[in-house]
Structures are given as C-alpha cells and as structure tokens.
Amino acid sequence: MENWNFDSNASIKFSGSKVSGTFGNLKGKIVFDPSDLANANMVVLIETSTIKTGDSLKDKHAKSKDWFDVEKYTTIKFASSIFTKTGKGFTVNGTLQLHGISKTVAISFQFVSSRDKGTFTGAFKLNRMDYGIKGNFFGFIVGNEIDVELKVPVKK
C-alpha cells in the first residue's frame, strides 16, 4: 500500500450557474494503490474558511451564516468506504459531511503517478440544498446543483 500526502497547492474547484471558486488547505490521509483497492482508504478534510471566489465580497457572503457558516461548520469531510475499478479509472464511494449533514456520494476519478508524485482528478455533482445550504435571497443566482472538480496533486 502506498501512503500519499497532499501537495501544499492542492485545492478543490466548484462552480454553480453564476459562481465558482476553490477550497484549499486539504488535509487528511490517502492510502491508495491501484492494484490493491480492497485496502485503499481516504479521509479528506477541507477548512471551509479557505473558500475563495475571486471576489472578497462574495467570499464574505460565502463564509456567512446564510451559506457555509464557517464559524459553526469549520470543515468539510470525505471518508471513503469502498473503491472500485471502472472502465475509465476508479470510483470511490464514501460519506461527505458538509454543513453538519452526512450523505453517501460516489466520485469517479483517475489517478496518474510516477515515482514519488501523483495526481487524483475527477468530478461529481452535489445539490447544496441536500446539505442545508439554503443561502440568502440571491441563492437562485448560484443555483442548487454545484459541480465539484478534483485535481489533487499528492506526493509520497
């Protein structure tokens, strides 16, 4: 089994109908070997306060009680339960805990590595309403369905 650590520049991208941005400062544990999926394990923690939209006013709103409420819900957590091989890569099923609510999600991803470095890439969709993120009266602009894009560099 191979242990992987997050590169300091690792981030998760998200986008809705009129908003996009990133979360940074990923922490956690990744144990992954494509030839030993039964023993693979992943726990990812993201500090909600690291949200960046490219606009300081939007960042302030995103961190407020109307949206992510970063003072109350300080982290987003993903914990894997099972990995499977697919035609185009892999799928990891696990629990995503966001805004105090836990839901099972499936994330399709690819993994490319050479020597001591690797990159996990993938994408999935989530509905912010499923996690109780209702927003303010501008919520309709953001949209309910959010695309999450993963491009996470790692190193041994």
Side-chain angles (χ1 to χ4, degrees), residues 54-120:
D55 180 306
S56 60
L57 186 57
K58 286 182 183 178
D59 291 351
K60 184 178 176 181
H61 287 297
K63 293 175 183 181
S64 75
K65 289 182 181 183
D66 289 334
W67 294 94
F68 283 95
D69 196 358
V70 301
E71 289 185 22
K72 183 174 182 181
Y73 305 109
T74 59
T75 57
I76 298 168
K77 179 181 180 181
F78 175 78
S80 66
S81 56
I82 190 166
F83 289 80
T84 54
K85 176 81 175 115
T86 64
K88 294 183 179 182
F90 307 92
T91 297
V92 58
N93 289 60
T95 302
L96 178 65
Q97 184 180 43
L98 171 61
H99 208 252
I101 296 174
S102 297
K103 299 258 182 203
T104 301
V105 297
I107 303 171
S108 296
F109 71 94
Q110 291 78 41
F111 180 69
V112 177
S113 68
S114 88
R115 295 189 182 170
D116 294 355
K117 296 182 179 184
T119 303
F120 289 89

Side-chain angles (χ1 to χ4, degrees), residues 124-145:
F124 67 101
K125 293 181 183 295
L126 66 85
N127 186 320
R128 66 181 174 89
M129 302 302 269
D130 291 344
Y131 294 90
I133 302 173
K134 298 193 180 5
N136 57 19
F137 53 90
F138 289 115
F140 69 93
I141 294 173
V142 173
N144 293 344
E145 193 167 87

Side-chain angles (χ1 to χ4, degrees), residues 34-66:
S35 64
D36 188 8
L37 296 180
N39 290 306
N41 184 35
M42 182 181 297
V43 176
V44 181
L45 302 170
I46 303 167
E47 290 180 27
T48 55
S49 64
T50 65
I51 190 170
K52 292 197 181 353
T53 64
D55 180 306
S56 60
L57 186 57
K58 286 182 183 178
D59 291 351
K60 184 178 176 181
H61 287 297
K63 293 175 183 181
S64 75
K65 289 182 181 183
D66 289 334

